[in-house]
Amino acid sequence: MEKISSKKRQKDWKNIVETYVFFAVILVVPLLQFVVFYIGANANSVIMSFQRYENGTYVANGLNNYVELFERFGRDVKVQSSVINSFWQWLFAVGISLPLSILVSYYIFLRIPGSEFFKVLLMLPQIITNIVFVCIFRTLFENGLVELFGWSPIVMRVAPTQFWILLVYSTFFGLATNMVLYLGAMSGVNQSTIEAAQIDGMGVLGRLWHVILPAIWPTVTVFIMAGFAGYF
């Protein structure tokens, strides 16, 4: 009996060791990648921010780079413009793109007729080559909208108009990725809670506001914080 118990313990110990070795082998590549390309690269960037390039080598420069950076905020028009544009891009992403992504995901989540076609339409930017999709988008704006609203073609080529077109393009291009993540979060909502809200007479928008949004709020906050981090 003791011999059988000893063999069983040895077998259990062997299984535990094999399990830990398996997980270690699986994790070693992503961990190495994280250490080299994230921690290493960012640490090197911080070190280089206190240096300057001179005569083919890097020499210590103290806080002069940071002083110059903040001075350029006050006198360099290009830097000021980039900061303002980045702010508008973040505001557009949080104020328009995020609610639109949630509404589109909720529309598909409800399996309303036509939602499958809409899902395929949103996935086209991920399927079609970027160059082809950009050409289609450019033709749509430069020809379709110009003829539809009677605008001058020059209007579509000035910087302010191109900036807003870029925002619209990035919103449409990112809907598919956001849709996949939000749909995944919505699929995790307890179906009995949704059915109970429906039995209580709560409408489609009511269920979205009182049931779905509170349940997927952690996912929403991740998008908001990631967008805010991207602003910098």
Side-chain angles (χ1 to χ4, degrees):
M1 193 70 178
E2 292 181 359
K3 187 179 294 185
I4 296 175
S5 178
S6 177
K7 289 183 178 180
K8 185 179 179 181
R9 283 196 299 269
Q10 290 178 358
K11 186 177 181 181
D12 292 341
W13 177 252
K14 183 180 179 181
N15 291 335
I16 293 173
V17 172
E18 289 178 352
T19 301
Y20 278 105
V21 170
F22 172 77
F23 281 114
V25 172
I26 293 297
L27 291 175
V28 66
V29 174
L31 285 176
L32 184 62
Q33 184 180 15
F34 175 77
V35 170
V36 174
F37 295 103
Y38 186 82
I39 298 179
N42 283 282
N44 188 52
S45 299
V46 173
I47 294 173
M48 291 180 65
S49 68
F50 296 99
Q51 299 174 337
R52 73 175 186 275
Y53 189 73
E54 184 178 295
N55 298 327
T57 184
Y58 289 96
V59 295
N61 198 33
L63 296 174
N64 292 332
N65 292 334
Y66 291 96
V67 173
E68 182 182 355
L69 174 65
F70 285 105
E71 286 179 350
R72 290 183 63 182
F73 276 116
R75 54 183 170 82
D76 196 322
V77 178
K78 291 183 179 180
V79 174
Q80 295 173 0
S81 178
S82 64
V83 173
I84 294 173
N85 289 342
S86 297
F87 172 76
W88 279 113
Q89 185 177 7
W90 174 78
L91 196 64
F92 194 89
V94 174
I96 296 179
S97 178
L98 190 146
L100 183 62
S101 299
I102 294 175
L103 289 174
V104 169
S105 302
Y106 186 57
Y107 170 77
I108 297 173
F109 174 75
L110 293 176
R111 300 184 183 277
I112 298 175
S115 60
E116 293 299 323
F117 170 77
F118 201 61
K119 185 191 297 185
V120 174
L121 181 65
L122 291 177
M123 290 301 296
L124 284 179
Q126 310 297 324
I127 300 172
I128 301 176
T129 306
N130 290 343
I131 297 177
V132 175
F133 192 77
V134 167
C135 291
I136 295 173
F137 200 83
R138 179 178 179 181
T139 303
L140 172 65
F141 269 87
E142 289 191 349
N143 297 330
L145 293 183
V146 167
E147 294 180 2
L148 181 63
F149 295 103
W151 294 342
S152 170
I154 302 177
V155 175
M156 309 301 293
R157 293 185 173 90
V158 295
T161 307
Q162 290 178 344
F163 174 69
W164 291 106
I165 292 175
L166 181 62
L167 291 182
V168 174
Y169 173 80
S170 61
T171 299
F172 182 72
F173 194 81
L175 278 177
T177 303
N178 297 346
M179 177 189 67
V180 171
L181 296 175
Y182 284 129
L183 276 177
M186 291 178 184
S187 300
V189 179
N190 195 330
Q191 192 64 31
S192 60
T193 305
I194 301 175
E195 293 174 356
Q198 189 173 3
I199 293 173
D200 289 340
M202 196 173 292
V204 174
L205 293 179
R207 295 197 298 272
L208 172 64
W209 184 257
H210 295 287
V211 179
I212 300 296
L213 270 181
I216 68 169
W217 186 246
T219 305
V220 176
T221 54
V222 168
F223 271 93
I224 295 175
M225 296 305 297
F228 188 73
Y231 171 65
F232 294 97

